[in-house]
Amino acid sequence: MPKDWYEWHDLYDTEPKLQQRLEIVQEYIAYSLNASPSGTIRVVSVCAGDGRDLLGTLKNHSRAKDVSARLVEINSNLVERGRATIESLGLAKQIEFINGDATLATNYVGAIPVDIVIVCGVFGNLADEAELNRLLDNLSFLSKPGAFVIWTRGDSNGITYSDNVRKILSASGFEEVNFKLTATGDMGVGLNRYRGENLAAPKEQQLFVFSGIPSKAR
Ligand SMILES: C[S@@+](CC[C@H](N)C(=O)[O-])C[C@H]1O[C@@H](n2cnc3c(N)ncnc32)[C@H](O)[C@@H]1O
């Protein structure tokens, strides 16, 4: 069992579920970049980990130089690793890795509204459905109309939590573009588009509460 979120990332080396999840997330990021009009593509990653999903995609993507991104992550060791990757890719001028609280609206000011929101490993770490609805509501502050939203949600004990997320997203104005389960069958990865308006100011400063713990990550 990982004792912290830094250690949790080691599971990417051994767990097929996470490896397959990453592959699909990167496929969706590449799709979203390809579908974006010419010019700057703004991206935020909420609770970014070490940023391997976005950075691993940009490594081989023709639109990499168009991306202007802000990644927000609270674990300083993960941020340090992500920053080293950004340097090694030569993307330091366009990708900011903030060591801060991704639940606070202030940490996105200056980087939004965006074309692509990456919110992976978050929905399973919210207390309940009300908290998910609150976060989705607040995504209208981060997103341009038409923004792509890439998300993950694990299923467990025969409960298809990811199906519930799909229903809630569709009902909240996030049109489904794609959805896949990992080959392991227990992790959903979705690509949706925000069809509402951008909100110039957040409804509340606290966008959501992240209540998950690494030993029980979903
Ligand atoms: C399940 S991991 C997902 C990481 C990454 N998005 C991925 O999919 O590989 C959840 C991440 O959220 C981060 N986190 C937890 N609470 C946070 C907060 N309040 N602000 C920013 N990051 C947070 C953790 O440190 C951890 O890296």
Side-chain angles (χ1 to χ4, degrees):
M1 287 294 168
K3 69 173 185 317
D4 59 25
W5 289 112
Y6 188 78
E7 224 176 82
W8 177 87
H9 280 69
D10 291 345
L11 296 174
Y12 273 113
D13 297 333
T14 53
E15 275 208 1
K17 174 172 74 175
L18 274 186
Q19 292 163 351
Q20 292 162 15
R21 181 185 103 148
L22 179 62
E23 213 170 287
I24 303 170
V25 168
Q26 290 185 335
E27 175 195 325
Y28 289 171
I29 294 173
Y31 175 95
S32 307
L33 294 171
N34 290 335
S36 295
S38 57
T40 302
I41 307 170
R42 285 187 168 220
V43 182
V44 289
S45 181
V46 178
C47 299
D50 61 8
R52 67 181 66 199
D53 43 18
L54 177 64
L55 302 176
T57 310
L58 294 183
K59 195 173 170 183
N60 300 309
H61 201 282
S62 58
R63 299 290 308 272
K65 287 287 172 195
D66 291 335
V67 170
S68 169
R70 181 175 296 175
L71 292 77
V72 188
E73 164 59 47
I74 210 156
N75 180 299
S76 57
N77 292 325
L78 290 168
V79 173
E80 203 177 304
R81 189 152 79 191
R83 284 181 182 152
T85 309
I86 291 169
E87 283 291 339
S88 74
L89 294 174
L91 297 172
K93 288 206 172 79
Q94 46 184 118
I95 303 197
E96 256 182 306
F97 214 134
I98 289 199
N99 188 193
D101 190 342
T103 72
L104 300 181
T106 43
N107 280 326
Y108 299 92
V109 172
I112 52 168
V114 297
D115 304 280
I116 303 174
V117 181
I118 303 170
V119 63
C120 294
V122 176
F123 292 170
N125 291 301
L126 306 175
D128 52 28
E129 204 169 297
E131 199 57 28
L132 174 62
N133 278 313
R134 176 182 175 196
L135 169 54
L136 294 183
D137 223 20
N138 284 319
L139 283 186
S140 53
F141 166 62
L142 303 184
S143 311
K144 288 183 188 171
F148 291 98
V149 177
I150 298 159
W151 59 273
T152 65
R153 179 64 166 103
D155 296 335
S156 58
N157 304 322
I159 305 173
T160 51
Y161 294 106
S162 58
D163 272 343
N164 197 37
V165 170
R166 293 171 76 185
K167 284 188 197 119
I168 295 173
L169 277 165
S170 293
S172 314
F174 295 86
E175 176 188 56
E176 187 166 287
V177 177
N178 207 341
F179 173 82
K180 287 184 188 178
L181 274 182
T182 53
T184 56
D186 54 356
M187 176 62 72
V189 189
L191 174 65
N192 290 60
R193 287 195 93 162
Y194 177 56
R195 290 303 181 196
E197 293 299 311
N198 171 248
L199 271 197
K203 287 185 183 155
E204 45 191 345
Q205 286 302 322
Q206 176 96 43
L207 304 177
F208 64 102
V209 172
F210 187 104
S211 49
I213 52 170
S215 58
K216 294 196 177 144
R218 291 165 286 168

